[in-house]
Amino acid sequence: MIFMKKSILFASVVCLILLAVVCSAGCVTEEKNYDGQNLLVYSGAGLKGPMAEIGTTFGEKYNVNVELTYGGSGVLISQMTTTKLGDIFIPGGEPDYQNAVAKGLVSEDYQPVAYHVPVIAVSKGNPKGIETVEDLATPGLRVALGDVNATAIGKASAAIFKKAGILESVEQNVVLRGATINEVVTALSTGNADAAILTLDSANKDLFTTIEISVKDNSILITPIGVTTFTTKPELAQLFADYVASDEGKAIFEKYGFPAYPDAKYT
């Protein structure tokens, strides 16, 4: 009886040791799968704040080197078309993502992350007395906008003006078409424009006064993320996309002024 008990105890210890070895091997294998690997992420220029932080946190969490390329969505799509390199695409809005889908560059399956909410931004104190979108058609007003073909905010601005019936009138006031939203911010902050259409996250409250555009009159963008069709690391790329779209990733977007998806106010 004593011998049997000892045998059972010995067998149990051996099983525990083997289980620990197997678990340990599994953990080591997972780390080896990602340690030292690179991910190339194409990100809209207006998403630089949250994406830079996410790249760092994800990289530290999974031992991955995340390389972020920022630019206007049109420029990024051109780069992907030419090089067929990279793993992730996250533009400022869904129309640009669908454009990349149509070109066969990214998966049709994507995840919504946050909202890009257009607002009117003017010099601090609103010296021109701008109150509505229609005021941007006032003759002589200098307006800075994003390029329609290169930026998500440019497309959204055009949709807003078209909805208001003032597209041609505003066009006569445009003094800058920025290839990125950052160029529009610079034009307004340096006094080279009186007003601009920016996004809620990019309109620095210390520099500008913002005028909200009602949801029914607005053209609110949803920021999507998806995997490229030519990635050589689909599992790791999907892991990154899932992380960005997770509660942890969305919390980082909120930290930089982006309303996280979903939000009843913008749906």
Side-chain angles (χ1 to χ4, degrees):
M1 182 65 73
I2 294 174
F3 176 76
M4 289 182 63
K5 288 182 177 179
K6 287 184 176 180
S7 298
I8 293 172
L9 178 61
F10 177 76
S12 298
V13 171
V14 170
C15 286
L16 287 172
I17 292 173
L18 288 174
L19 182 61
V21 170
V22 170
C23 290
S24 175
C27 293
V28 170
T29 300
E30 185 176 354
E31 287 181 2
K32 285 184 178 179
N33 283 341
Y34 301 124
D35 187 28
Q37 291 196 43
N38 297 319
L39 270 182
L40 175 56
V41 179
Y42 294 96
S43 170
L47 310 176
K48 187 172 184 178
M51 287 305 296
E53 183 169 336
I54 285 174
T56 299
T57 55
F58 182 87
E60 292 174 349
K61 187 171 185 177
Y62 293 102
N63 296 315
V64 174
N65 177 39
V66 180
E67 179 185 348
L68 288 142
T69 295
Y70 302 104
S73 297
V75 173
L76 297 179
I77 288 174
S78 295
Q79 288 179 359
M80 288 191 288
T81 301
T82 302
T83 66
K84 293 296 191 297
L85 297 173
D87 308 288
I88 299 287
F89 183 43
I90 177 167
E94 288 175 308
D96 290 308
Y97 190 91
Q98 292 300 341
N99 186 17
V101 169
K103 294 177 182 294
L105 300 173
V106 293
S107 168
E108 293 183 7
D109 298 323
Y110 65 86
Q111 299 180 76
V113 179
Y115 296 94
H116 246 155
V117 183
V119 296
I120 302 169
V122 298
S123 301
K124 198 71 175 175
N126 195 8
K128 299 291 184 178
I130 295 168
E131 298 180 357
T132 66
V133 167
E134 287 76 10
D135 290 337
L136 299 184
T138 303
L141 192 73
R142 299 174 303 159
V143 179
L145 300 173
D147 190 292
V148 176
N149 297 315
T151 67
I153 191 61
K155 293 180 178 66
S157 300
I160 292 168
F161 299 142
K162 186 175 182 180
K163 192 183 297 185
I166 58 171
L167 184 60
E168 293 183 6
S169 298
V170 173
E171 188 62 37
Q172 296 177 18
N173 290 339
V174 174
V175 295
L176 172 90
R177 286 280 184 184
T180 68
I181 194 170
N182 299 329
E183 292 180 20
V184 183
V185 170
T186 299
L188 187 59
S189 64
T190 55
N192 291 317
D194 302 314
I197 297 291
L198 299 178
T199 50
L200 187 62
D201 54 278
S202 65
N204 189 321
K205 297 293 177 59
D206 293 330
L207 297 176
F208 311 127
T209 293
T210 58
I211 297 98
E212 188 174 317
I213 304 170
S214 67
V215 173
K216 68 180 180 64
D217 296 326
N218 213 332
S219 182
I220 295 169
L221 301 166
I222 296 175
T223 297
I225 188 167
V227 177
T228 65
T229 55
F230 39 79
T231 178
T232 58
K233 300 179 270 294
E235 180 182 330
L236 182 56
Q238 189 60 57
L239 181 65
F240 181 84
D242 292 342
Y243 179 77
V244 174
S246 70
D247 289 343
E248 187 174 347
K250 289 178 179 178
I252 294 175
F253 268 84
E254 288 183 314
K255 176 180 170 182
Y256 286 86
F258 293 81
Y261 182 93
D263 187 322
K265 179 178 180 180
Y266 303 113
T267 301

